[in-house]
Amino acid sequence: MNLEYSDEHKAFRDDVCRFLDEKLPEHLTDRGRRGRAPSKAEHEEWHAILHEQGWLAGNWPREFGGAGWDAVQRHIFETETTARGAPRIVPFGVAMLGPVLQKFGSKAQQDHYLPRILDGTDWWCQGYSEPGAGSDLASLRCEAVRDGDHYVVNGQKTWTTLGQYADHIFCLVRTSKEGKPQEGISFLLIDMATPGVEVRPIVLIDGSVEVNEVWFSDVRVPVENLVGEENKGWTYAKYLLTHERTNIAGVGFASAGLAALKRIARAEQDGGRPLAENPHFAARVARVEIDLMAMATTNLRVVSAAAGGQAPGAESSMLKIKGTVIRQEINALAKTAAGPYALPFQSEAVEGTNEEPVGPDYAARVTGQYLNNRKLSIYGGSNEVQRQIIAKTMLGL
Amino acid sequence: MNFEWTDEQRMLQDGLRRYLSDAYDATGRKAAREADRGFSAETWAGLAEMGVVGALFSEDQGGFGGSGFDLALVFEEMGRAGAVDPLIDTGVLGGGLLATFEPDTLEGVIAGETHLALAHAEPGARYELARVAATAERDEGGWRLSGRKAVVANAAAADRFLVTARTGGAGADPDGISLFAVERGALDFRPYPVVGGGTAAELSLDGTPATLLGPEGGAYPALAAVHARATLAVCAEALGMMEAVRDLTGDYLRTRKQFGQPIGKFQVLQHRMADVLIEIEQARSAVINLAGNVDGDARDLHVAAAKNLVGHVARLVVEEAIQMHGGIGVTEEYDLGHYARRLSMVDHRFGDTIHHLERFIALTRDAAPLEGAAR
Ligand SMILES: Cc1cc2nc3c(=O)[nH]c(=O)nc-3n(C[C@H](O)[C@H](O)[C@H](O)COP(=O)(O)OP(=O)(O)OC[C@H]3O[C@@H](n4cnc5c(N)ncnc54)[C@H](O)[C@@H]3O)c2cc1C
């Protein structure tokens, strides 16, 4: 056993660090440090920088314009960039749709869409969930009915992350009501400028807008926008989910959060000493740091097995649960650390208004982040559903 | 032993519950949240008219209640409705101090005409009650105050500010803290909204004219007393909110269907909901313990115990309720969002779980353990 990266991977990490030193603009990390979500323009700026380096799609093979990294390299890149507070790469085009098109899409779809994901021409969002179909995704009802060389789509999607920015949406739609519910689902690409598509924002508990409802009424979609075969969409969706679940542990986010938490704890005065020296507070921070250290290694064990060709199964569910719980505990501790300055309501939405933050700047978004990040254990398959997967696949229960 | 309300208390409870459930329907809550002062003037006037402010004071103070149990009853109902009216600030804190130092001005408070804000905490003081750095100096006409006050609740509505400052001592010395009244017009500040409703402000005092209330340098005991009662109020309010959240979540588990059945049929959610119920009962008992001791010898012990326990339970209830709701639980519009925001702020007023854990340890380290209610 050897806990060190190989020489090649060490060299790669040095490359990544050098690149970040030179090319990651301070205004982007600054924003992350203050707990603010990046704007569309900021996402685009970061994507363009990465694209120029050839690093936007680490997971794609080189033939499609990706970096062709192995799992360890991807891990190194994600950990280093998130720990520095870089915006995350918006996953919908790069991490989700890209791999599906590469495996199941037609040549024409690959040639048209893949370059446009890389150069930022198209912004994609994910239309899976519906009001009645959350954890039980197969019960979805949004339907697509064949009419000549078009599908006519009617129904509603919800929780569409960053859909307000997107010009395209990949959807699971019902094309058949026969047989098992999974067997009548198709995977359809929809241009959101098509007449009959309507996007309505959903305001989240911290006042931010990152999810939307998307309504379809008699939306005509050309049949060439069907990915793979009709009624086989569930297979593609499951394939996509295995990709959605990369970087699921969020080690970089947790490290960045922990560093921010420690900064607050050193700055806050408590009974004439820094809060960091309060033994009860310090004990809770230590507990989460110990947990994070172990999880980082669990993550590496999974990454290393994946680099050796083993597809992660229930391990990614373990990482999802542990990773989200750790991040949520760090958020809760940051809110605790801010003390009475957790009280002022400082919405993400007032960002544009030039208002000075109330109290120390490190406190401005702790409450918002705590509330907003309750989502981590809900979306992408809730932690309860992940536990079911673990019990089923690892124990056969 | 008797854990029942008296007839009068039950009447107040029924009336208040009815009044608040009308005032705080979905539109009422939205209007209150968006009002400049952080609450609806109309709802507040109705509360005062019902005698809700009066219930916080004893008969010789001009009220008709004032016991710990009266406070617990009133604030539990306020919490259940998700009410955002500044009853803690104007009533328990401000009114409590006036009852001690300027009782002849209490009438306007009880009538709902005067609003008050206690400006005590300072940046860097966190939850340490005796840590005051602001200073007061005597000049011809009266006193002038200098220093800073942090997150002063109910600032937008307050006609008068009660401000603490040192006339002696230093650091976290309880002796030497004095209480002053400052008129709103003497202050220049920008109020901001608080998570979960209401307003606050940062105050800069720079030779601000003020009137001394009570004994010079001797405000601390009264401050600690009203602080204990405010802690009871916020704990009882949290209890009411937790029960509302419990009901909302129970309803949701019964109606939300996934995989062809109500999600409440999943045993994992049943067990967690059961734990939530157990912990809320624990919170109820802690509130009862505090209510019965809030003016007695064991006050500080029960303040620490109740606030620590309620802080833990509130976090559990918020997080479990959101999780069991799934995506809908993290939206602003759904009722749960309001309760979750407000409930997650309970820990940030009057000391959090860690602060009160330390106090509890200090107070009990050498004492023989006793049972709950009897302590
Ligand atoms: C911020 C955010 C962003 C999102 N982004 C997207 C997006 O971009 N695109 C998209 O398609 N979707 C998105 N989602 C939707 C997300 O995937 C769903 O919210 C998630 O699948 C849960 O579904 P639900 O919200 O309907 O909860 P429900 O499925 O109704 O679950 C409610 C509760 O029941 C539990 N539960 C359900 N089934 C079981 C079971 N069998 N056993 C035990 N417990 C169970 C759940 O764990 C949860 O606690 C997003 C959600 C959020 C909150």
Side-chain angles (χ1 to χ4, degrees):
Chain A
M1 222 175 264
N2 177 2
L3 297 186
E4 301 258 309
Y5 286 130
S6 69
D7 288 343
E8 290 79 34
H9 285 139
K10 275 188 199 150
F12 177 75
R13 187 177 58 190
D14 293 343
D15 283 348
V16 171
C17 290
R18 211 170 315 115
F19 165 75
L20 292 173
D21 286 341
E22 286 168 19
K23 296 285 171 63
L24 174 59
E26 210 172 290
H27 64 266
L28 293 184
T29 54
D30 229 39
R31 210 183 154 86
R33 233 194 318 278
R34 288 182 294 126
R36 306 275 175 176
S39 66
K40 178 175 192 182
E42 286 165 329
H43 275 303
E44 286 174 336
E45 181 185 349
W46 181 227
H47 282 200
I49 293 169
L50 289 169
H51 178 49
E52 199 187 301
Q53 179 79 7
W55 285 4
L56 178 59
N59 56 327
W60 294 13
R62 284 173 191 272
E63 54 180 304
F64 292 117
W69 289 335
D70 67 23
V72 177
Q73 287 173 304
R74 293 207 298 270
H75 168 80
I76 290 170
F77 176 78
E78 280 160 0
T79 308
E80 294 298 332
T81 47
T82 48
R84 288 186 193 223
R88 65 169 187 160
I89 297 175
V90 179
F92 306 111
V94 174
M96 297 183 181
L97 181 63
V100 169
L101 289 183
Q102 287 158 23
K103 192 157 168 87
F104 305 106
S106 67
K107 177 85 172 56
Q109 285 169 344
Q110 291 171 351
D111 289 347
H112 179 73
Y113 290 116
L114 294 177
R116 294 162 66 96
I117 291 174
L118 293 180
D119 70 14
T121 311
D122 292 341
W123 182 306
W124 287 90
C125 62
Q126 178 188 31
Y128 280 19
S129 305
E130 298 180 12
S135 300
D136 181 16
L137 188 57
S139 68
L140 63 90
R141 294 162 64 170
C142 180
E143 65 170 9
V145 177
R146 185 76 183 255
D147 176 27
D149 52 6
H150 282 82
Y151 286 102
V152 180
V153 181
N154 278 290
Q156 186 198 345
K157 294 291 173 183
T158 190
W159 308 121
T160 319
T161 298
L162 302 184
Q164 71 269 40
Y165 296 161
D167 34 49
H168 288 68
I169 181 167
F170 55 90
C171 284
L172 292 180
V173 290
R174 183 151 302 286
T175 38
S176 164
K177 291 175 187 150
E178 314 280 302
K180 292 206 317 198
Q182 287 85 339
E183 288 162 3
I185 292 171
S186 298
F187 195 105
L188 202 58
L189 311 176
I190 303 178
D191 182 338
M192 293 176 80
T194 321
V197 180
E198 196 196 332
V199 178
R200 297 183 198 161
I202 300 173
V203 182
L204 291 189
I205 188 165
D206 61 332
S208 67
V209 177
E210 61 185 53
V211 292
N212 302 269
E213 297 176 344
V214 182
W215 298 73
F216 300 95
S217 28
D218 292 331
V219 175
R220 296 184 68 81
V221 181
V223 285
E224 58 266 27
N225 285 18
L226 177 76
V227 174
E229 288 175 53
E230 198 176 272
N231 296 333
K232 289 276 158 46
W234 191 252
T235 316
Y236 317 145
K238 281 210 316 214
Y239 178 77
L240 180 151
L241 281 178
T242 63
H243 281 265
E244 180 177 357
R245 299 213 179 114
T246 60
N247 192 24
I248 199 160
V251 172
F253 289 115
S255 311
L258 188 60
L261 167 62
K262 288 185 174 186
R263 237 181 352 256
I264 303 178
R266 284 193 300 271
E268 277 290 311
Q269 286 297 305
D270 173 57
R273 63 183 172 186
L275 176 63
E277 290 170 22
N278 178 318
H280 307 289
F281 185 81
R284 285 178 59 188
V285 176
R287 280 289 304 276
V288 79
E289 184 161 4
I290 290 166
D291 224 10
L292 174 57
M293 284 163 60
M295 188 204 38
T297 298
T298 311
N299 191 31
L300 282 176
R301 285 163 56 206
V302 174
V303 163
S304 154
Q310 276 168 267
E315 290 84 0
S316 58
S317 295
M318 291 189 168
L319 289 172
K320 158 106 207 265
I321 294 170
K322 201 71 220 181
T324 54
V325 169
I326 285 176
R327 282 173 68 189
Q328 288 174 337
E329 176 65 11
I330 291 171
N331 288 145
L333 282 167
K335 176 169 129 349
T336 298
Y341 278 115
L343 285 158
F345 176 72
Q346 312 203 52
S347 161
E348 182 126 25
V350 303
E351 172 72 353
T353 61
N354 278 333
E355 290 198 5
E356 280 282 300
V358 176
D361 66 345
Y362 55 66
R365 279 285 298 156
V366 288
T367 301
Q369 276 203 312
Y370 165 79
L371 291 167
N372 183 287
N373 268 349
R374 303 313 311 163
K375 74 187 175 193
L376 297 178
S377 49
I378 294 170
Y379 67 14
S382 74
N383 282 11
E384 289 73 32
V385 169
Q386 305 298 334
R387 288 189 184 96
Q388 303 279 50
I389 294 172
I390 293 170
K392 197 164 165 184
T393 56
M394 301 187 100
L395 289 170
L397 294 175
Chain B
M1 206 161 281
N2 173 11
F3 290 103
E4 304 292 318
W5 297 118
T6 65
D7 288 346
E8 292 83 48
Q9 285 169 329
R10 206 190 318 275
M11 267 169 59
L12 176 64
Q13 186 183 45
D14 288 348
L16 187 52
R17 191 174 297 188
R18 234 175 300 120
Y19 176 73
L20 286 172
S21 69
D22 287 346
Y24 280 97
D25 60 4
T27 41
R29 184 170 306 144
K30 191 158 183 290
R33 199 165 63 207
E34 287 166 4
D36 286 344
R37 300 204 303 173
F39 60 95
S40 146
E42 201 185 324
T43 305
W44 176 260
L47 285 170
E49 200 173 312
M50 282 183 80
V52 173
V53 192
L56 311 179
F57 299 94
S58 64
E59 276 174 36
D60 49 341
Q61 291 169 327
F64 58 89
S67 77
F69 293 111
D70 296 314
L71 260 69
L73 181 154
V74 164
F75 282 97
E76 187 184 326
E77 294 312 318
M78 297 291 283
R80 193 184 312 282
V84 297
D85 306 77
L87 195 58
I88 289 185
D89 308 290
T90 288
V92 181
L93 290 171
L97 288 167
L98 290 186
T100 311
F101 295 131
E102 209 185 68
D104 49 325
T105 60
L106 209 52
E107 210 176 316
V109 175
I110 291 176
E113 287 152 9
T114 311
H115 269 288
L116 302 169
L118 172 61
H120 171 63
E122 301 179 0
R126 229 178 148 77
Y127 304 114
E128 225 186 336
L129 194 60
R131 187 166 293 272
V132 173
T135 52
E137 281 185 17
R138 207 190 283 271
D139 86 352
E140 308 90 81
W143 293 81
R144 293 196 174 268
L145 309 183
S146 300
R148 289 182 57 198
K149 294 289 173 181
V151 199
V152 177
N154 199 31
D159 308 293
R160 289 181 90 192
F161 289 76
L162 305 181
V163 185
T164 52
R166 282 204 176 276
T167 47
D173 191 353
D175 288 333
I177 299 173
S178 304
L179 185 72
F180 298 88
V182 174
E183 298 307 313
R184 183 189 182 88
L187 294 162
D188 180 24
F189 59 89
R190 177 173 60 85
Y192 50 78
V194 166
V195 178
T199 69
E202 304 299 290
L203 298 188
S204 273
L205 307 167
D206 186 14
T208 307
T211 317
L212 180 69
L213 295 181
E216 186 181 324
Y220 186 80
L223 198 65
V226 297
H227 202 260
R229 288 165 70 84
T231 308
L232 165 62
V234 89
C235 287
E237 190 191 6
L239 176 63
M241 288 194 275
M242 292 193 280
E243 294 205 333
V245 168
R246 174 201 66 191
D247 293 348
L248 268 173
T249 310
D251 287 346
Y252 198 74
L253 292 177
R254 279 186 290 273
T255 48
R256 170 71 174 170
K257 285 197 173 136
Q258 290 288 282
F259 303 99
Q261 54 183 328
I263 56 174
K265 290 284 176 213
F266 298 125
Q267 201 172 47
V268 63
L269 302 190
Q270 291 174 354
H271 286 193
R272 282 159 54 183
M273 197 61 197
D275 284 340
V276 162
L277 300 193
I278 294 169
E279 293 304 319
I280 292 175
E281 288 312 315
Q282 285 287 88
R284 176 170 291 286
S285 293
V287 168
I288 291 172
N289 280 345
L290 175 54
N293 285 283
V294 74
D295 299 316
D297 293 342
R299 178 190 77 189
D300 291 349
L301 184 73
H302 284 284
V303 165
K307 193 63 169 44
N308 174 273
L309 188 139
V310 167
H312 283 296
V313 179
R315 180 178 170 194
L316 175 88
V317 170
V318 166
E319 295 182 356
E320 287 289 47
I322 292 178
Q323 183 69 24
M324 288 193 257
H325 273 82
I328 196 92
V330 292
T331 57
E332 173 173 76
E333 213 39 48
Y334 185 61
D335 267 359
L336 177 63
H338 173 72
Y339 287 101
R341 281 189 295 272
R342 198 167 170 80
L343 200 47
S344 64
M345 290 298 102
V346 162
D347 221 24
H348 297 272
R349 291 205 81 184
F350 315 127
D352 59 21
T353 52
I354 291 171
H355 174 81
H356 286 291
L357 179 68
E358 285 200 303
R359 293 203 357 130
F360 187 83
I361 292 170
L363 290 165
T364 54
R365 203 172 344 226
D366 303 320
L370 286 174
E371 274 153 37
R375 189 161 202 160

